[in-house]
Amino acid sequence: MALNCGIIGLPNVGKSTVFNALVGGKALVANYPFSTVEPNVGVAVIPDERLAKLTQIFKSRKTTPTTIEFRDIAGLVQGSSLGEGLGNQFLSQVREADALVHVVRVFENPDVIHVAGPMDPERDIGLIETELMLADLQTVERRREKLDKKVRAGEAGAAQEKAYVDALIERLSKGEWIGAQTGSAMEQTWLREYQLLTAKPIVFAVNIGEGQDGSPSVRRVEELARARGARAVAICGAVEAEVAALPPTERADYFRELGMGEGGLVRLVRTAYELLNLITFFTAGEVESRAWTIRQGTKAAQAAGKVHSDMERGFIRAEVYHYEDLIACGSEAGVREKGLFRLEGRDYVVKDGDVLFFRFNV
């Protein structure tokens, strides 16, 4: 299954606009709550200048970038944790996401109704987080009930896990965001098992109007993000959606004309990629230069399996050099001459920017 980011937020904050800009989709954009019922799903290309350079060096006939999946999830309303609005459906979709993109509205537009009243991004964030925390409380309280029985039965490890669950309940009851916690390996295992909504990696997409970049509202969202161990990226959804309709070769020029530099969506996609602890390795040659997505810490044999399952099953070795060495030497032959070309076994941990060729036999 592809790694994916769920786009969440209150109704009418611009989630579908951001989604369309990200993936070039045609999700319904409407001025009423719940215009998105079933999640729209699409993929966004991970911008990476290294891939274009590899294509140029190897004169590749085909270039294939790596991608990440985004899901535009129905808007949340107060009471969703109790099933209000599309609450139960919304929460189940959020639970399936690997990371969250929380769209926070800062732009002013009297023609687009704000369901919560006057513009207040801090309030909006609180409304969403409260519902996620309440849903998580239900999850961990059910877990505690099961652990109580295991503790009474004297089951090994139950008391230790119950103490951890009690601590989570206390934090959630105080309104604390769990976040990507550090902890023991066992605690991390438990946390993954619970699939808590408030423990997912999150980036705030601050949906601004033109000229609002760096405004007090944006800075406040950035402060709230840091307090949660999260990230914040300001984007102008309306402008980005217009740019997304242009040919890729014209988009950078359009941003330069607007004085915006790099597009906000480029930064958003890159940030989401980093939040999921993903890295990119490359395969390159005359036929194709291609980028591949893997988790940090992935070993060579597993990376080979991303290319083809036969490569992992019959893995022999990986021929490895780094992209930066290739650029410094000018060619693969130059990498070999400098002694920077290596042979690695199945347990080699792949690094971001590695260029790999897999030897296998099945």
Side-chain angles (χ1 to χ4, degrees):
M1 181 181 293
L3 294 165
N4 72 84
C5 290
I7 302 176
I8 65 171
L10 291 171
N12 291 3
V13 297
K15 297 188 307 301
S16 295
T17 300
V18 171
F19 172 82
N20 286 338
L22 279 167
V23 306
K26 291 180 169 50
L28 174 63
V29 178
N31 184 24
Y32 56 84
F34 307 125
S35 59
T36 302
V37 178
E38 292 296 328
N40 298 299
V41 180
V43 294
V45 170
I46 306 299
D48 197 323
E49 295 177 354
R50 297 174 296 181
L51 183 61
K53 192 66 176 177
L54 287 171
T55 298
Q56 179 184 343
I57 290 173
F58 285 93
K59 298 180 174 58
S60 307
R61 294 191 293 274
K62 182 179 179 182
T63 304
T64 306
T66 189
T67 60
I68 189 169
E69 183 180 278
F70 285 89
R71 298 186 181 193
D72 176 23
I73 298 173
L76 178 66
V77 296
Q78 194 166 9
S80 289
S81 59
L82 301 175
E84 294 292 332
L86 298 174
N88 292 331
Q89 182 176 345
F90 170 91
L91 293 170
S92 67
Q93 293 163 2
V94 175
R95 205 174 301 280
E96 293 172 0
D98 298 296
L100 303 177
V101 175
H102 184 169
V103 179
V104 181
R105 177 176 170 177
V106 171
F107 71 88
E108 295 278 2
N109 187 338
D111 296 328
V112 179
I113 302 166
H114 194 301
V115 297
M119 199 65 59
D120 186 342
E122 186 168 355
R123 174 208 58 207
D124 295 352
I125 290 171
L127 287 172
I128 294 287
E129 291 186 343
T130 296
E131 296 305 321
L132 299 183
M133 289 176 189
L134 289 173
D136 279 351
L137 263 175
Q138 295 174 23
T139 298
V140 291
E141 284 172 348
R142 287 194 297 268
R143 182 65 180 177
R144 182 167 64 178
E145 291 175 3
K146 295 179 180 179
L147 288 168
D148 282 336
K149 296 176 182 178
K150 293 182 178 181
V151 170
R152 287 195 294 270
E155 186 170 321
Q160 182 183 3
E161 184 181 355
K162 182 177 179 299
Y164 179 66
V165 167
D166 286 341
L168 289 177
I169 290 174
E170 182 178 359
R171 291 186 61 189
L172 289 167
S173 298
K174 292 178 179 177
E176 291 185 24
W177 185 259
I178 300 302
Q181 293 196 61
T182 56
S184 69
M186 184 59 70
E187 288 172 345
Q188 287 294 303
T189 299
W190 290 331
L191 199 58
R192 286 192 296 271
E193 183 181 338
Y194 305 155
Q195 290 188 300
L196 297 187
L197 306 173
T198 59
K200 292 184 180 293
I202 186 167
V203 55
F204 292 98
V206 192
N207 196 2
I208 63 175
E210 290 188 58
Q212 280 189 296
D213 200 358
S215 70
S217 295
V218 173
R219 290 197 298 271
R220 180 56 182 153
V221 176
E222 290 172 344
E223 292 171 0
L224 294 169
R226 284 193 294 271
R228 290 155 176 75
R231 305 274 291 277
V233 176
I235 64 171
C236 184
V239 171
E240 299 272 1
E242 292 178 10
V243 174
L246 298 173
T249 54
E250 298 179 16
R251 294 173 189 173
D253 292 337
Y254 187 84
F255 279 124
R256 279 193 292 272
E257 289 175 10
L258 294 175
M260 296 175 65
E262 186 179 52
L265 288 178
V266 172
R267 290 181 281 114
L268 178 60
V269 171
R270 188 179 295 127
T271 300
Y273 197 72
E274 293 168 357
L275 277 172
L276 288 167
N277 293 318
L278 303 177
I279 62 172
T280 301
F281 76 88
F282 303 97
T283 53
E286 290 184 7
V287 175
E288 180 183 30
S289 285
R290 181 163 181 168
W292 302 87
T293 297
I294 55 174
R295 294 272 192 186
Q296 287 185 9
T298 298
K299 296 181 179 179
Q302 296 170 301
K306 289 286 293 184
V307 179
H308 198 287
S309 58
D310 285 348
M311 289 188 177
E312 181 174 9
R313 190 170 73 252
F315 182 90
I316 299 173
R317 65 178 180 271
E319 299 177 359
V320 187
Y321 55 87
H322 199 270
Y323 169 83
E324 296 295 342
D325 294 331
L326 176 66
I327 298 304
C329 297
S331 66
E332 189 176 271
V335 171
R336 292 176 183 270
E337 289 173 6
K338 293 287 187 180
L340 299 172
F341 186 95
R342 311 186 312 276
L343 300 179
E344 299 286 358
R346 64 185 308 109
D347 291 330
Y348 168 72
V349 177
V350 178
K351 308 295 189 303
D352 183 69
D354 276 349
V355 182
L356 300 172
F357 182 81
F358 299 107
R359 297 289 183 184
F360 68 104
N361 183 32
V362 291

